[in-house]
Amino acid sequence: MTRADAQDLDARDPLAPLRDEFILEEGLIYLDGNSLGPLQKGVSERVAQAIAQEWGRDLISSWSKNGWFDLPRRIGEKIAPLVGAGPGQVVVADGTSINIFKVLAAALGMQPGRTRILSEPGNFPTDLYMVQGMTELLGSENCELVLAEEDGIAEAIDDTTALVILTQVNFRSGRVHDMAAITQAAHEKGALVCWDLCHSTGALPVDLDGCGADFAVGCGYKYLNGGPGAPAYIYVAERHQKSVIQPLSGWHGHAAPFDFDTEYRPADTVNRYLCGTQPVLSMLALEQSLEIWSRVDMADVRKKSVALCEMFIALVEARCADMGFALVSPRASDQRGSQVAFAHEAGYAIMQALIAARVVGDFRAPDVMRFGFTPLYTRYVDVWDAVDRLVTVLESKAYENADFQLRAAIT
Ligand SMILES: *Cc1c(COP(=O)(O)O)cnc(C)c1O
């Protein structure tokens, strides 16, 4: 593999023209779109127009005239095809952690007699922390977190399990859980399942309906490029939508918010999972950012994602052999999301030096260097150049510089 080979792959890549729709500085290789997706052209203009016209002139009439009130459902329907959800099952609102709270409470309410929430120790911490908070709220006799290692999830489900909550693509290693198999195993034991899709949606094809999933959550700011702190989404399978009242029973989840009833009467739809008024400008930025997905085929995205990751692994292992890197991600591409993680003793300092060399990945304690490969704007030649700069950082020992040793609060 040479740089010219990489350029050749770019020339034949059906997704290559999309890169031009993103605002990325010349020379920057951005391998952190799995943490914060970049800005697309047209998003600033959309938000500026909404400020000037919709807020500035149309004022309160915008809730109906400019469709603000329908944004959670409207944007939900744009995310639905990316997660294999039929209509009427996805709403965009709040943050992922908040939506996890809604799911935990709903699932416990739907499963009288079952009090355990099953997850894995390597899950993204917020998922575990939200369960711990629920235990504080309800008491450990009503909500108990149980952890099983990632290979033993199905076996750990029993008749006390109310809900299994897992992140489909592990945030550190990129390992992918078998959504269909785990969902089926849970259902056979009478448990419900919630899939956290933060590292899945926009990264690989997902089939929630096909797997019979019960709930799913995910964020708008990673592979969906919706902007910092973009609103999140929640999927509730149609069969569960009327089951229980979720406890964040704000007025937007009411059957008729503008009746201003004294009594809470929940919507009979996925709207029941809404709470209150949403940040409209952030919703509009997300909606504009999602437009690009209507023009791409997820099969092409996945194919390129696999190719970029394979190329990166092969180049690092060939060019940085005996330099202390150990692959943390699964080697088999069908078990890996759209990211590659390598462990290295000096991982933090190497990542800082690499960022200074304009290759942006990130670091996850204790020793993991994480690289996200986002097919809409990452070129094959970027992968080649990123490894080239990594080799320079290692050979020059640039990472030994004292500036790169100091651990920042945000890594
Ligand atoms: C990024 C991420 C979150 C983020 O939750 P927020 O409430 O948006 O901060 C949750 N779960 C997983 C698996 C993530 O990767």
Side-chain angles (χ1 to χ4, degrees):
M1 162 75 63
T2 63
R3 192 169 193 276
D5 294 333
Q7 284 171 317
D8 191 48
L9 288 170
D10 285 320
R12 289 185 279 122
D13 170 18
L15 299 174
L18 299 173
R19 177 180 167 86
D20 191 42
E21 301 187 24
F22 289 84
I23 295 172
L24 291 163
E25 259 179 60
E26 196 54 45
L28 173 72
I29 300 175
Y30 192 63
L31 305 180
D32 217 355
N34 53 329
S35 253
L36 175 65
L39 177 64
Q40 287 171 71
K41 292 175 185 167
V43 175
S44 309
E45 290 76 3
R46 175 68 185 100
V47 174
Q49 183 266 340
I51 291 173
Q53 180 64 41
E54 300 181 15
W55 179 18
R57 294 179 187 277
D58 299 340
L59 285 162
I60 194 75
S61 72
S62 285
W63 284 105
S64 49
K65 181 178 170 187
N66 294 312
W68 288 357
F69 200 76
D70 302 326
L71 280 169
R73 289 293 292 273
R74 194 167 88 213
I75 306 176
E77 295 306 346
K78 293 181 180 175
I79 292 175
L82 298 176
V83 295
Q89 301 179 103
V90 181
V91 276
V92 170
D94 308 318
T96 305
S97 305
I98 308 285
N99 288 332
I100 289 172
F101 178 89
K102 299 173 193 172
V103 170
L104 295 175
L108 287 167
M110 287 162 66
Q111 299 274 59
R114 291 177 179 242
T115 56
R116 293 199 167 135
I117 310 284
L118 177 65
S119 193
E120 57 173 313
N123 197 354
F124 190 79
T126 210
D127 299 48
L128 306 180
Y129 298 164
M130 293 309 292
V131 181
Q132 291 164 24
M134 190 62 81
T135 301
E136 284 294 314
L137 181 69
L138 300 180
S140 56
E141 66 283 13
N142 295 312
C143 175
E144 187 189 348
L145 176 62
V146 177
L147 300 176
E149 289 303 329
E150 64 181 356
D151 290 321
I153 300 287
E155 294 69 36
I157 306 168
D158 63 23
D159 61 8
T160 65
T161 312
L163 177 78
V164 180
I165 182 164
L166 294 172
T167 299
Q168 188 198 12
V169 178
N170 185 281
F171 79 104
R172 242 193 226 102
S173 68
R175 178 181 159 159
V176 182
H177 275 299
D178 186 336
M179 183 183 282
I182 291 177
T183 304
Q184 191 188 343
H187 289 174
E188 280 167 6
K189 302 258 177 68
L192 300 168
V193 185
C194 177
W195 290 101
D196 183 331
L197 300 178
C198 280
H199 289 280
S200 305
T201 311
L204 74 178
V206 176
D207 189 10
L208 288 172
D209 285 351
C211 293
D214 301 290
F215 298 96
V217 295
C219 66
Y221 51 80
K222 292 174 181 165
Y223 291 89
L224 298 183
N225 312 306
Y233 51 90
I234 179 167
Y235 161 93
V236 183
E238 191 170 10
R239 64 186 181 280
H240 296 321
Q241 289 174 5
K242 295 182 213 167
S243 300
V244 290
I245 297 177
Q246 66 84 9
L248 297 182
S249 46
W251 69 304
H252 284 230
H254 193 277
F258 284 90
D259 283 1
F260 296 105
D261 282 348
T262 307
E263 291 295 317
Y264 184 73
R265 189 159 47 84
D268 273 345
T269 63
V270 73
N271 285 21
R272 187 176 293 201
Y273 285 79
L274 295 175
C275 182
T277 307
Q278 291 302 309
V280 170
L281 299 176
S282 296
M283 294 288 260
L284 293 172
L286 172 62
E287 183 176 44
Q288 184 65 38
S289 304
L290 288 170
E291 190 278 328
I292 196 165
W293 295 101
S294 65
R295 291 179 280 126
V296 305
D297 183 339
M298 270 320 285
D300 287 341
V301 171
R302 177 62 178 162
K303 204 169 142 209
K304 184 175 174 189
S305 155
V306 168
L308 293 169
C309 292
E310 299 272 273
M311 183 178 159
F312 184 74
I313 294 170
L315 284 171
V316 170
E317 292 189 337
R319 297 190 63 196
C320 308
D322 307 321
M323 286 180 173
F325 289 99
L327 183 66
V328 171
S329 301
R331 195 167 287 278
S333 61
D334 61 344
Q335 288 170 32
R336 196 176 57 229
S338 205
Q339 69 197 59
V340 174
F342 276 102
H344 193 290
E345 217 182 2
Y348 182 77
I350 294 171
M351 184 55 80
Q352 298 317 300
L354 200 55
I355 292 169
R358 314 276 289 139
V359 178
V360 178
D362 59 25
F363 175 80
R364 290 292 174 262
D367 60 357
V368 173
M369 298 173 68
R370 198 173 67 150
F371 302 89
F373 295 92
T374 44
L376 300 190
Y377 51 86
T378 304
R379 299 169 295 203
Y380 292 94
V381 76
D382 293 327
V383 176
W384 204 94
D385 289 345
V387 177
D388 205 44
R389 291 184 205 174
L390 177 63
V391 170
T392 305
V393 161
L394 290 160
E395 285 178 347
S396 66
K397 301 211 181 288
Y399 65 91
E400 290 181 357
N401 185 319
D403 293 351
F404 299 142
Q405 316 302 319
L406 226 66
R407 191 75 66 92
I410 296 166
T411 60

